[in-house]
Amino acid sequence: MSAAAAEAVEKAIASRRAVRAFLPDPVDPALVRRLIALAAQAPSGTNMQPWRLRVLGPRTRAKLETALVAALDDPSPREEEYRYYPATLREPYLSRRRKVGWDLYGLLGVAKGDHAGMRRQTEANLRFFGAPVALMLTVDRDLEIGSWLDLGAFVQTLLIAAQGHGLDSCPQAIFARFHGVVRRELAIPQSEVVVCGIALGKADPDAPANRLVPEREPVEGFTSWLD
């Protein structure tokens, strides 16, 4: 690989971040297909390739979003598809999670206790933040944690490939909280776990949410150099 190619890869990795407001500019379906094909080059144990991906067309997406927003007003208990966080979050993870939340809602002008503001942001999340491309990822329920690692590699490869082609993205775990609605509207069988969605498109440069740049720990904070 040439120095220029390596620099391009580094730039795509370093510039990628979760974008929470998109321009309506359409994305060429051929490019979406190319990005998916690139993501499929992600490593997987014994080449199992356990990822499952659904690309939502306009009618399917509109129907799903309508059902998801309606579900916000449903007072029935909602059970998550899987546990993303432990029941009790300890340090340093608690502080990191709180800070990024405070920073985001600060940019949005949503104060603590502003339920209407929080609902608006949740609804935007369920609408893929207005991105022109909406994806949904699942994994077979009978697979083990190694396949989830493989799925994570697939997602990251897709996000970096998109960044390299001038597109922004946001991986969205919120859909696991509404997996019943997602499953019903997308005809996803019980044999698959609704893991996350992905929004793809061009970031809205004027949106306050897109000024969020989460802090990263220095290498020394999580690395041990042995021997």
Side-chain angles (χ1 to χ4, degrees):
M1 178 180 288
S2 67
E7 183 178 353
V9 173
E10 286 194 17
K11 183 178 179 181
I13 294 171
S15 61
R16 186 220 61 82
R17 56 194 173 88
V19 163
R20 294 178 175 86
F22 290 83
L23 297 172
D25 303 1
V27 177
D28 186 349
L31 176 56
V32 176
R33 178 177 289 274
R34 178 174 175 80
L35 296 176
I36 295 170
L38 286 169
Q41 297 299 311
S44 67
T46 62
N47 201 34
M48 284 176 55
Q49 306 171 70
W51 40 79
R52 293 184 181 272
L53 177 66
R54 289 165 174 84
V55 182
L56 310 188
R59 289 188 298 273
T60 297
R61 175 176 173 176
K63 190 167 177 286
L64 172 63
E65 290 180 359
T66 298
L68 287 167
V69 172
L72 281 174
D73 296 319
D74 186 351
S76 305
R78 190 179 297 122
E79 184 178 346
E80 296 189 51
E81 177 80 303
Y82 62 92
R83 265 254 173 89
Y84 198 106
Y85 304 103
T88 302
L89 201 58
R90 61 177 173 81
E91 295 296 350
Y93 311 114
L94 178 61
S95 293
R96 292 174 186 167
R97 186 185 184 194
R98 281 178 172 169
K99 185 179 189 316
V100 77
W102 290 334
D103 289 350
L104 173 61
Y105 282 108
L107 289 169
L108 295 171
V110 178
K112 186 176 182 179
D114 181 0
H115 300 296
M118 291 180 181
R119 181 197 164 89
R120 283 195 304 273
Q121 187 62 12
T122 300
E123 183 173 331
N125 200 345
L126 293 173
R127 293 187 183 279
F128 296 90
F129 298 114
V133 179
L135 311 175
M136 195 67 66
L137 288 110
T138 67
V139 68
D140 287 354
R141 194 176 298 276
D142 61 347
L143 296 180
E144 295 292 348
I145 191 170
S147 292
W148 286 69
L149 294 173
D150 295 343
L151 177 62
F154 175 88
V155 170
Q156 175 71 346
T157 305
L158 179 57
L159 302 185
I160 298 303
Q163 196 74 19
H165 280 268
L167 295 179
D168 299 288
S169 60
C170 185
Q172 301 170 268
I174 192 172
F175 297 107
R177 284 168 42 196
F178 295 83
H179 65 95
V181 177
V182 174
R183 189 181 305 287
R184 182 186 72 228
E185 298 299 328
L186 302 187
I188 297 174
Q190 287 290 337
S191 59
E192 296 176 38
V193 177
V194 176
V195 179
C196 69
I198 296 178
L200 283 178
K202 291 275 191 178
D204 181 348
D206 299 323
N210 289 340
R211 295 202 297 268
L212 177 67
V213 181
E215 296 177 0
R216 298 297 184 177
E217 286 294 304
V219 171
E220 292 74 20
F222 57 84
T223 305
S224 299
W225 303 91
L226 306 180
D227 204 15

